[in-house]
């Protein structure tokens, strides 16, 4: 089953929450904004394609607002 586009309200909630933290895991975002993880994952994927957030691979995967976390080194 093909998923449709992410709910714009969830995308806004994700961006708002990420504005309050340095980085977060998708499951943490979902718990904090009261949405299903699958819906948050879809929203994050779209936001990453829109270049608004980025995936960070630091032993595990985090999500952060684009440019908020500086590269190590």
């Amino acid at each position: 089953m093909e998923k449709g586009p992410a709910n714009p309200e969830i995308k806004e909630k994700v961006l708002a929450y990420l504005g309050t933290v340095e980085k977060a895991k998708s499951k943490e975002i979902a718990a904090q904004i009261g949405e299903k993880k699958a819906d948050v994952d879809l929203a994050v994927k779209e936001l990453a394609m829109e270049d608004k957030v980025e995936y960070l691979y630091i032993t595990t995967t985090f999500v952060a607002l684009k440019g908020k976390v500086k590269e190590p080194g």
Side-chain angles (χ1 to χ4, degrees):
M1 183 176 119
E2 186 64 30
K3 290 184 180 176
N7 181 330
E9 289 178 19
I10 294 175
K11 289 169 71 173
E12 287 301 316
K13 286 182 182 180
V14 168
L15 288 173
Y17 177 70
L18 287 174
T20 68
V21 297
E22 184 179 21
K23 62 186 182 290
K25 294 182 181 181
S26 289
K27 106 177 141 179
E28 294 168 8
I29 298 169
Q32 290 296 321
I33 67 173
E35 300 290 348
K36 290 186 281 189
K37 183 179 178 296
D39 294 336
V40 169
D41 287 341
L42 183 59
V44 166
K45 181 179 175 184
E46 285 188 16
L47 289 166
M49 287 190 292
E50 294 167 12
D51 208 30
K52 293 182 179 172
V53 302
E54 58 192 343
Y55 291 99
L56 305 169
Y57 301 101
I58 311 167
T59 66
T60 186
T61 303
F62 291 94
V63 181
L65 289 177
K66 184 80 177 174
K68 188 165 186 176
V69 178
K70 301 297 174 223
E71 290 290 322

